[in-house]
Amino acid sequence: MVDQRRRFFLRSAQSSQQQPLPWIRDSELFTEHCTRCGECQRACEENIIVSGDGGFPSIDFNKGECTFCYECAQHCPEPLFLPETHLPWKQVVSIKDSCLAKQNIECRSCSDACDTRAIRFQHRLGSVAQPEIQISDCSGCGACIAPCPVNAISMEQHP
């Protein structure tokens, strides 16, 4: 079994990759109705919910991945979240050109961290294997973000 705590051993200092919480009913009304009580932060088993802009909770993928446990929603005293049967969010990873593999340097840290195998590497003639994202397999959990040594991975909203 892989020791998940060692997963981020070689990561570099990361820039902020904060995202809205999963299952938010209406992101436009979130700041209006969220009381910033911190219940979601205390309930998060991965400790990835942080106080973001204005003290409102957000997900910081540099601290780890979302396991979709739904604890944040269950502990929130306000009706801000959709039922667990809905998709948690519509976001997928995006890999920038600063990716080491795209610079012809062998690195597969994102693929190693991806439990759903949404990031796969395809061999190319004359270069190292290149990352390819299988959008249909990406859960948007963020597991691939923190291990990237050059901050080349981010989340994008997927239609």
Side-chain angles (χ1 to χ4, degrees):
M1 169 111 55
V2 174
D3 183 357
Q4 299 294 330
R5 294 169 297 171
R6 297 190 61 149
R7 180 179 271 182
F8 309 120
F9 177 68
L10 294 175
R11 74 176 150 183
S12 66
Q14 303 283 322
S15 60
S16 179
Q17 289 272 353
Q18 294 183 6
Q19 303 286 323
L21 300 181
W23 290 288
I24 292 297
R25 186 176 303 277
D26 186 342
S27 59
E28 301 288 321
L29 297 175
F30 178 75
T31 55
E32 186 176 321
H33 296 290
C34 175
T35 61
R36 297 173 273 192
C37 65
E39 289 298 319
C40 57
Q41 284 179 275
R42 288 186 282 281
C44 181
E45 64 183 25
E46 296 296 318
N47 296 313
I48 62 171
I49 299 178
V50 298
S51 291
D53 289 341
F56 292 101
S58 63
I59 302 286
D60 184 352
F61 288 127
N62 290 319
K63 294 180 169 284
E65 66 189 273
C66 182
T67 59
F68 306 110
C69 66
Y70 201 67
E71 292 295 317
C72 55
Q74 289 178 332
H75 285 84
C76 181
E78 303 299 323
L80 300 172
F81 294 88
L82 294 168
E84 190 174 8
T85 55
H86 285 73
L87 286 175
W89 44 44
K90 294 177 182 172
Q91 61 186 23
V92 293
V93 296
S94 173
I95 301 176
K96 300 174 197 161
D97 289 337
S98 59
C99 168
L100 290 177
K102 292 183 178 188
Q103 302 301 317
N104 211 24
I105 300 168
E106 183 66 37
C107 178
R108 297 185 189 198
S109 58
C110 58
S111 177
D112 293 342
C114 183
D115 289 337
T116 62
R117 298 293 175 233
I119 302 175
R120 300 176 187 149
F121 279 78
Q122 296 296 320
H123 294 286
R124 294 287 194 306
L125 188 61
S127 73
V128 300
Q130 297 296 300
E132 292 185 0
I133 302 170
Q134 305 296 318
I135 300 278
S136 61
D137 294 338
C138 182
S139 65
C141 71
C144 57
I145 291 177
C148 180
V150 294
N151 303 324
I153 301 177
S154 61
M155 285 291 173
E156 291 184 358
Q157 293 302 314
H158 187 56

PDB file of all heavy atoms in Angstrom, residues 3 13 44 151:
ATOM      1  N   ASP A   3       1.982   4.951   0.951  1.00  0.00           N
ATOM      2  CA  ASP A   3       1.824   5.893   2.054  1.00  0.00           C
ATOM      3  C   ASP A   3       1.479   7.254   1.460  1.00  0.00           C
ATOM      4  O   ASP A   3       2.332   7.954   0.924  1.00  0.00           O
ATOM      5  CB  ASP A   3       3.112   5.964   2.865  1.00  0.00           C
ATOM      6  CG  ASP A   3       2.994   6.874   4.084  1.00  0.00           C
ATOM      7  OD1 ASP A   3       1.924   7.497   4.262  1.00  0.00           O
ATOM      8  OD2 ASP A   3       3.968   6.944   4.848  1.00  0.00           O
ATOM      9  N   ALA A  13       7.468  24.888  -3.696  1.00  0.00           N
ATOM     10  CA  ALA A  13       6.565  25.878  -3.105  1.00  0.00           C
ATOM     11  C   ALA A  13       5.492  26.175  -4.142  1.00  0.00           C
ATOM     12  O   ALA A  13       5.779  26.463  -5.292  1.00  0.00           O
ATOM     13  CB  ALA A  13       7.330  27.144  -2.757  1.00  0.00           C
ATOM     14  N   CYS A  44     -13.669  18.793   7.402  1.00  0.00           N
ATOM     15  CA  CYS A  44     -12.912  18.263   6.269  1.00  0.00           C
ATOM     16  C   CYS A  44     -11.850  17.265   6.726  1.00  0.00           C
ATOM     17  O   CYS A  44     -10.905  17.615   7.436  1.00  0.00           O
ATOM     18  CB  CYS A  44     -12.254  19.407   5.494  1.00  0.00           C
ATOM     19  SG  CYS A  44     -11.320  18.847   4.052  1.00  0.00           S
ATOM     20  N   ASN A 151       4.256  23.712 -10.886  1.00  0.00           N
ATOM     21  CA  ASN A 151       2.936  24.360 -10.832  1.00  0.00           C
ATOM     22  C   ASN A 151       2.281  24.465 -12.203  1.00  0.00           C
ATOM     23  O   ASN A 151       1.677  25.481 -12.532  1.00  0.00           O
ATOM     24  CB  ASN A 151       3.036  25.747 -10.204  1.00  0.00           C
ATOM     25  CG  ASN A 151       3.641  25.724  -8.835  1.00  0.00           C
ATOM     26  OD1 ASN A 151       3.407  24.798  -8.072  1.00  0.00           O
ATOM     27  ND2 ASN A 151       4.448  26.719  -8.524  1.00  0.00           N
TER      28      ASN A 151
END
